[in-house]
Amino acid sequence: MPSRRPVRRTVSPHRPAAVYAALLLPGAAVAALLLSGCGEAGELTSAGPTPTAVGPVRLWPDLPPVTAPPYDYGESDTARVPGVAVPGGDVHRVDPVDVVRAEVAAHPGEYSGPDGMYEETARQIRECGTKPRQCPVMTPYYRDLTGDGQDELVVGIRMPEQQTGLRVYMPEDGGLTRIMSTVDQVVGVQLAGRDLVVRVVSAGIPGYEYRTAWSWDDQQRAMLPTRDEIVRVKPVPPKPASPTPSPSPSPGPGGT
């Protein structure tokens, strides 16, 4: 089996929507919230004076424009799932194993890119009907991630080397369009509003993890990694306490 990973990781993880909720408030609204409190328990109270906002300063304004396009990581790649019909546009009526199996059949031997799959995983998917206990396709989830009033299908696929493949499918024109595909060492996935927040192990910073929020982009017609953060998940160990000095012995009888 090829040693490379089946799907490229995104350029960087992305910050979940909840972190940005407060940042999107205008300064006046934030100030109004801070100053509108009263003495009732549980209500907002004043946080005191806040520092004056300072606008961004552009560094190196004479940098030349970029002429060569950056490397394409495939974040906006989408694909029509061949041979899968969606009655009434209802993804709840579609078998997720059939969806992934159709993609494997359409891209045999594909080990990298959005369609990438380990050969071991592809074989297990083909055998899901006869060996259901070994089927790597996990329980699906459903959520309207595009805001069109119809649920999308969210599929997870267990892969070797503690990796998980994540794919999102949108009902469109009587069939399915895959609007997101990524693989990584995932430690958790959350649905936050219309965002899919993926928590990933940090390889270079022990005790931290990446969190990527994938959001629907109507212009690209795809889920894009729009926000990221690096979060400490292990508490900072407490500093060792300084040794308590022993008290000086009291002078005995006749002492000075």
Side-chain angles (χ1 to χ4, degrees):
M1 184 187 74
S3 59
R4 57 182 172 175
R5 297 167 63 173
V7 179
R8 296 179 300 263
R9 186 169 151 55
T10 53
V11 181
S12 62
H14 295 264
R15 191 181 303 269
V19 176
Y20 277 78
L23 300 181
L24 296 177
L25 286 173
V30 174
L33 286 174
L34 293 176
L35 299 176
S36 62
C38 59
E40 295 293 335
E43 295 191 6
L44 295 174
T45 57
S46 173
T50 58
T52 302
V54 178
V57 177
R58 184 180 179 186
L59 306 183
W60 305 293
D62 297 329
L63 283 175
V66 176
T67 56
Y71 182 77
D72 180 13
Y73 281 81
E75 297 100 330
S76 62
D77 290 348
T78 62
R80 184 76 168 181
V81 181
V84 175
V86 184
D90 184 3
V91 294
H92 297 259
R93 301 171 63 181
V94 176
D95 187 340
V97 174
D98 290 343
V99 174
V100 181
R101 186 185 288 124
E103 291 193 305
V104 170
H107 304 277
E110 194 89 18
Y111 297 109
S112 63
D115 295 300
M117 191 78 67
Y118 285 96
E119 173 54 34
E120 174 187 345
T121 308
R123 175 180 52 78
Q124 291 175 330
I125 290 172
R126 288 191 293 265
E127 297 174 347
C128 279
T130 57
K131 299 179 181 179
R133 294 175 64 89
Q134 299 178 18
C135 185
V137 180
M138 298 186 287
T139 302
Y141 285 86
Y142 304 90
R143 176 68 66 91
D144 179 9
L145 298 175
T146 64
D148 63 356
Q150 292 182 304
D151 280 347
E152 272 64 55
L153 170 64
V154 183
V155 173
I157 307 169
R158 291 187 296 270
M159 295 187 176
E161 301 179 13
Q162 298 181 326
Q163 296 190 81
T164 301
L166 297 174
R167 298 186 177 188
V168 176
Y169 303 91
M170 176 181 68
E172 188 176 45
D173 299 330
L176 280 180
T177 300
R178 190 187 64 221
I179 59 175
M180 172 188 164
S181 178
T182 188
V183 172
D184 221 316
Q185 289 184 318
V186 176
V187 296
V189 182
Q190 296 172 308
L191 287 167
R194 296 211 306 264
D195 286 350
L196 192 68
V197 182
V198 183
R199 298 168 50 208
V200 175
V201 172
S202 170
I205 314 177
Y208 289 76
E209 70 181 25
Y210 297 115
R211 293 183 185 174
T212 306
W214 292 76
S215 309
W216 169 252
D217 185 285
D218 193 57
Q219 181 173 346
Q220 294 296 321
R221 303 292 294 173
M223 298 282 290
L224 299 182
T226 53
R227 294 178 294 276
D228 66 6
E229 63 178 346
I230 301 177
V231 180
R232 183 170 182 86
V233 293
K234 292 184 179 179
V236 178
K239 295 181 179 180
S242 302
T244 304
S246 302
S248 302
S250 302
T256 57

